[in-house]
Amino acid sequence: MDRRLMAAVMRVWPVVALLLAALPSALPAAAQPSPVEAATRQLSAAEADLNTVDGALDTRQDRAARAKLRDDALAAQGNATAAAEQLRDQLALIDARIAGLGPPLPGVVEAADIRAERRALAQARSSLDSKVKRGQLIAVEAGQLVAEIDRTQAAELGERIAVRAASPLSPVFWSDLVASMPRDLRRITSFGARETTQVGVALRAGFPWVALLGALLALALLVPVRRVLRRIGQRYLIADAPGHRVRRSANAVWRVLVGTAMPIAAAFLFVQGLRWSALVATAWMPLADALVVAAGFAGFTASVGAAFLMASQPSWRVVPLTDGAATALRPVAWAFAAVTFVVIMLGAFNLSVGASPAALLAMQVAEVMLHLVLIGATLLIVGRLRAQEAADGASAAEAAASAGVGAITLTLWLVAAGTVLALAIGYVGLAITVMQFVLWATLLAVCTYLLMVVIDDVATSLFQRESRVGLTLRHGMGLGGSAIDQFGVLLSAVLRLAVIVIALGLMLYPFGAGFGSFLDRVGGLARGVQVGGVAISPGTILRFVAVLALGLFLVRQFMGWLDQRYLPSTDLDGSVRNSIRLVARYIVTALAVVWALASLGIGMERIALLLSALSVGIGFGLQAITQNFVSGLILLAERPIKIGDLIRVGTDEGDVKRISVRSTEIELGDHSTLIVPNSELITKSVLNKTLAGPLGRIQVQFSVPIGTDADRVRALVLETFAAEPAVLDAPAPSALVDAIADGRILFNCYAHVASPRGTGEARSNVLLTLLRRLREEGVELGTVPQRMELIRSTENAA
């Protein structure tokens, strides 16, 4: 029966699923609120939340409560700002409708419906304007409440630092501690008795198998699983990761993730096993939660130190440290993690027990001393390493780095000395705050440096011309190798700058002062600033870059289609194609830029205004560029000079290889390139040997004695022209008697070749042949012989 019922359900189920899928489309759509109504509701909710925060601040709040109130105020501020923006957009639409109606004309009676619409639009505009102002006022009030909370937190931190307690060197400190010790011991005994009672009750109910399983799983996660995961990550990186730098960086990140996640998971399973077995008393619950937090933070600290040093695996080290330095600093990382774990657990224990002020003060003094011992030991190790490097003869770069380390070391010694002085005179709050700040800043600096190295390795390795991503971008999008390399470097710089900004904001986070205001300023930059009515923010800049990249990609695709598909299908010559190609490239590029500017909210009217403002500067400072640009357009339009023409500019002669809107490139006879501004080709004389036609002309001039047979010489010249393969039959060669002077016959002979570029070789061949034929015929070539006579004067003769 069960099987038949199941089979029937399986047969009916597709029909039911189809009906359920079609049901939403069959139901009438619920009425959606208008944008004005939604923004108004959001504005009212933001105002209510802000009133709640304001009322809560009338009473004393602890640090956690103030942090929540601050978040609520920021959320209300964001909602009010967003609602005001939406209402402002609706207000712009109403203003557009009012502008469409136009102002009422004097003396003209409008229709009743026009007057009614004008009144309705005026009322709607007045209502929206008041709501926009209301939203702006709520945002300002929220900002004031956030500033008040920040001032309260800063004042609380200042009070904690400025409070002076009994010095550990004074008898009062120890007498208060001894006096409060019996009560503290009774509290600890009572606290332990509650847990003992709870454990006894749980054990009488049965053996705590769940707690034992949780402990075993926690132990397995801490030791074997953590090691196996690290090895698996390394094997995967060796096999699949591109490049040694990415392998090292990814391995460091993987070690931090595994080293943080495993202690958290182990502590959580251990605590949950105790709770499910009812082995944890109610009073011990905060201490159990603190165990998970302490294990996670200590694991993160130890894993960051291990990833930074890589003492046991130098080849995977991402930081330029020597093996000796990494080995010497390795115990510091573990000591740092142990101190962190102990401090967190002692703090939770004191709160759970309800320790006396004297006991709390003694714990703070012990914490400061423990921190001082840790910092002092670290500074001694660093000093010993620096001395060893100096003895080994460090290089210039290492000496400069050692000088920076020395400055930091000296600063920390001064801070430690000041902390000891503050502790000695009773400013325990100041001493513990300074020590916590030093340790937190050190951990934050190590994490920031490690993350920056990882970001630089990954960005510059992935976006490299020979990487997989680089090859894909080069072949798929046609990007140049240099552009891909530059993008990787810029991406690395931007991401590292963001890491630095976040690290600066986190610097004061554990102390409850300054972080919120810092993030507010960063958030304000993220929301953008108004420049000439245009909102400039990181989001709009990224949108502009994305739209511009897409536009340039489309320009590249269009130019490829124009060059490879359309222009080859026409009967146009290469020069006309080049002109069309250049004009089309500038037009579509300008359209892409305008499209990208429109994504920023910059319309054509703003672009025209910008161009008009720049016209003065163009008229004074960019006259030459403008003149060359206009001359380039004239060259492309009138085409007095085309690509492939043989031209002479001044004393230089060569072939035109490229014409742009600014200059023209001419390849000279020695294969060098002459770049001529376009204005020179328009305003000055230029000899274009191939403008009227592609033919070249050979001219040969010589003279023979007057007694030579001129007809025979003419026939020899024409035969020489006919014997040269480069000489054309049409136009036919000619040999003319140009003149008879000084007892000689002057011949002027012409022939044509297919190209002006072949005249030199053809003329040389003709002259060589003509000289040989005339010599064979006994015809004398040369100039008129000159006779020089020496005339002596009569005075000298006498």
Side-chain angles (χ1 to χ4, degrees):
M1 182 65 182
D2 294 338
R3 294 181 180 178
R4 291 196 298 269
L5 180 60
M6 183 62 67
V9 170
M10 294 301 295
R11 288 194 300 269
V12 176
W13 170 245
V15 180
V16 176
L18 183 61
L19 293 176
L20 290 176
L23 184 60
S25 60
L27 293 175
Q32 297 293 331
S34 64
V36 176
E37 293 177 353
T40 303
R41 295 176 184 175
Q42 186 177 4
L43 201 61
S44 300
E47 186 175 13
D49 295 340
L50 194 63
N51 292 331
T52 302
V53 173
D54 192 11
L57 290 177
D58 294 336
T59 60
R60 184 175 180 84
Q61 303 288 335
D62 58 6
R63 178 181 170 185
R66 283 198 305 269
K68 184 179 183 306
L69 291 176
R70 189 181 186 284
D71 294 339
D72 294 341
L74 286 176
Q77 185 182 30
N79 293 333
T81 303
E85 290 294 332
Q86 294 179 5
L87 293 173
R88 191 177 289 109
D89 294 339
Q90 299 299 320
L91 184 62
L93 294 177
I94 292 180
D95 288 338
R97 294 177 59 184
I98 294 175
L101 290 177
L105 299 177
V108 178
V109 180
E110 295 181 335
D113 55 346
I114 298 297
R115 293 197 302 272
E117 184 176 0
R118 194 183 296 277
R119 286 195 300 270
L121 290 176
Q123 293 176 358
R125 190 188 187 287
S126 177
S127 176
L128 285 177
D129 185 63
S130 63
K131 292 178 180 179
V132 169
K133 294 179 179 178
R134 176 187 169 196
Q136 294 174 347
L137 180 60
I138 292 174
V140 171
E141 292 177 352
Q144 293 175 351
L145 289 179
V146 170
E148 180 182 350
I149 294 173
D150 290 339
R151 289 193 298 269
T152 303
Q153 294 182 168
E156 180 180 319
L157 179 63
E159 292 176 358
R160 186 175 64 185
I161 292 175
V163 170
R164 183 177 182 181
S167 171
L169 302 179
S170 64
V172 178
F173 174 84
W174 297 103
S175 61
D176 292 342
L177 180 61
V178 172
S180 61
M181 188 174 298
R183 186 177 298 276
D184 289 331
L185 291 176
R186 288 195 297 270
R187 291 174 179 175
I188 295 174
T189 303
S190 175
F191 185 71
R194 296 176 188 176
E195 179 62 18
T196 303
T197 303
Q198 183 68 29
V199 171
V201 173
L203 291 178
R204 285 193 296 271
F207 187 80
W209 294 105
V210 178
L212 179 60
L213 179 61
L216 293 177
L217 290 176
L219 184 61
L221 290 176
L222 282 177
V223 182
V225 175
R226 181 170 60 88
R227 293 180 179 177
V228 169
L229 289 177
R230 284 166 49 183
R231 292 174 182 173
I232 291 176
Q234 287 184 357
R235 292 176 183 175
Y236 174 78
L237 293 173
I238 293 173
D240 296 334
H244 184 61
R245 295 175 59 190
V246 177
R247 293 193 190 105
R248 295 186 309 168
S249 302
N251 180 64
V253 174
W254 178 247
R255 288 192 63 138
V256 173
L257 292 177
V258 172
T260 305
M262 291 300 101
I264 292 177
F268 178 78
L269 290 176
F270 177 72
V271 170
Q272 286 301 116
L274 296 178
R275 285 179 175 174
W276 289 339
S277 299
L279 293 175
V280 181
T282 305
W284 282 64
M285 290 296 181
L287 193 61
D289 295 334
L291 177 63
V292 179
V293 175
F297 202 81
F300 174 74
T301 304
S303 60
V304 167
F308 187 84
L309 299 175
M310 287 289 179
S312 58
Q313 295 176 316
S315 60
W316 290 88
R317 189 177 300 143
V318 298
V319 182
L321 288 176
T322 62
D323 295 344
T327 304
L329 292 174
R330 185 177 184 180
V332 174
W334 286 103
F336 194 178
V339 168
T340 303
F341 182 84
V342 171
V343 168
I344 294 175
M345 292 304 298
L346 284 178
F349 179 78
N350 290 330
L351 290 178
S352 300
V353 171
S356 63
L360 292 177
L361 183 61
M363 287 299 228
Q364 291 178 352
V365 171
E367 182 179 346
V368 173
M369 296 301 296
L370 192 60
H371 288 165
L372 285 173
V373 170
L374 178 59
I375 293 175
T378 304
L379 294 178
L380 290 176
I381 294 174
V382 172
R384 181 171 56 83
L385 292 174
R386 292 182 61 236
Q388 183 177 357
E389 289 180 358
D392 295 339
S395 61
E398 293 175 349
S402 179
V405 173
I408 296 175
T409 303
L410 178 60
T411 303
L412 290 178
W413 276 119
L414 293 176
V415 170
T419 303
V420 172
L421 180 61
L423 186 64
I425 62 179
Y427 288 100
V428 181
L430 176 60
I432 194 171
T433 302
V434 170
M435 286 294 97
Q436 290 176 353
F437 177 77
V438 170
L439 295 181
W440 172 252
T442 303
L443 177 62
L444 194 60
V446 172
C447 294
T448 303
Y449 182 82
L450 188 63
L451 190 57
M452 289 174 63
V453 172
V454 170
I455 288 174
D456 184 63
D457 289 346
V458 173
T460 56
S461 297
L462 290 181
F463 293 96
Q464 192 178 17
R465 65 180 70 189
E466 300 300 333
S467 64
R468 296 180 182 177
V469 177
L471 293 176
T472 302
L473 294 176
R474 288 170 58 187
H475 298 142
M477 301 182 62
L479 297 179
S482 177
I484 298 173
D485 294 340
Q486 293 174 18
F487 177 77
V489 175
L490 290 176
L491 179 63
S492 171
V494 171
L495 293 180
R496 286 188 292 171
L497 179 61
V499 169
I500 292 175
V501 171
I502 295 174
L504 291 176
L506 290 172
M507 189 67 71
L508 296 176
Y509 174 70
F511 310 101
F515 180 65
S517 301
F518 184 84
L519 284 187
D520 289 344
R521 294 187 181 94
V522 176
L525 292 177
R527 290 189 293 270
V529 295
Q530 293 288 333
V531 179
V534 179
I536 303 297
S537 65
T540 57
I541 293 176
L542 291 177
R543 184 169 65 247
F544 169 78
V545 173
V547 173
L548 182 61
L550 178 60
L552 295 180
F553 173 73
L554 294 178
V555 168
R556 185 186 295 272
Q557 297 299 317
F558 172 76
M559 294 305 300
W561 171 82
L562 188 67
D563 291 339
Q564 301 174 9
R565 298 295 302 276
Y566 178 72
L567 291 179
S569 65
T570 63
D571 296 331
L572 303 174
D573 58 13
S575 180
V576 177
R577 293 182 186 181
N578 178 72
S579 301
I580 295 175
R581 186 184 302 110
L582 287 176
V583 173
R585 177 179 299 170
Y586 283 107
I587 290 176
V588 296
T589 303
L591 292 177
V593 172
V594 171
W595 184 26
L597 292 176
S599 67
L600 289 176
I602 303 176
M604 289 300 300
E605 66 281 357
R606 295 181 182 273
I607 298 176
L609 181 63
L610 178 62
L611 293 178
S612 63
L614 291 177
S615 60
V616 178
I618 292 175
F620 285 99
L622 302 177
Q623 291 182 357
I625 296 178
T626 306
Q627 185 179 9
N628 290 326
F629 180 78
V630 176
S631 300
L633 295 180
I634 294 174
L635 289 177
L636 294 175
E638 295 185 356
R639 301 176 63 229
I641 297 174
K642 304 182 295 299
I643 294 178
D645 285 350
L646 179 64
I647 66 173
R648 177 181 294 171
V649 181
T651 59
D652 298 310
E653 179 177 308
D655 297 324
V656 178
K657 292 300 181 183
R658 183 175 180 269
I659 301 176
S660 65
V661 293
R662 190 193 66 84
S663 62
T664 298
E665 297 179 4
I666 302 173
E667 184 178 358
L668 303 182
D670 58 354
H671 302 289
S672 62
T673 301
L674 176 66
I675 301 177
V676 182
N678 289 331
S679 59
E680 298 287 329
L681 302 177
I682 294 296
T683 60
K684 296 185 178 180
S685 299
V686 178
L687 176 62
N688 191 339
K689 293 187 175 183
T690 55
L691 178 61
L695 300 182
R697 191 184 71 169
I698 298 174
Q699 182 180 13
V700 178
Q701 293 178 321
F702 64 93
S703 66
V704 297
I706 196 170
T708 307
D709 187 356
D711 293 332
R712 180 57 183 163
V713 173
R714 182 176 181 274
L716 288 175
V717 171
L718 294 178
E719 290 175 1
T720 302
F721 280 146
E724 173 59 34
V727 174
L728 300 177
D729 296 333
S734 62
L736 306 175
V737 176
D738 197 33
I740 300 175
D742 297 329
R744 301 189 71 84
I745 304 174
L746 303 180
F747 281 87
N748 197 356
C749 310
Y750 299 95
H752 292 83
V753 294
S755 172
R757 300 168 185 84
T759 56
E761 183 178 359
R763 187 170 182 271
S764 175
N765 294 335
V766 168
L767 289 175
L768 291 174
T769 304
L770 184 61
L771 288 173
R772 185 177 64 255
R773 295 289 302 275
L774 291 176
R775 189 180 301 110
E776 293 173 354
E777 294 289 336
V779 177
E780 178 187 354
L781 292 177
T783 59
V784 178
Q786 302 292 329
R787 184 177 62 182
M788 182 177 63
E789 296 181 358
L790 180 62
I791 301 176
R792 298 182 178 181
S793 63
T794 56
E795 296 179 357
N796 294 333

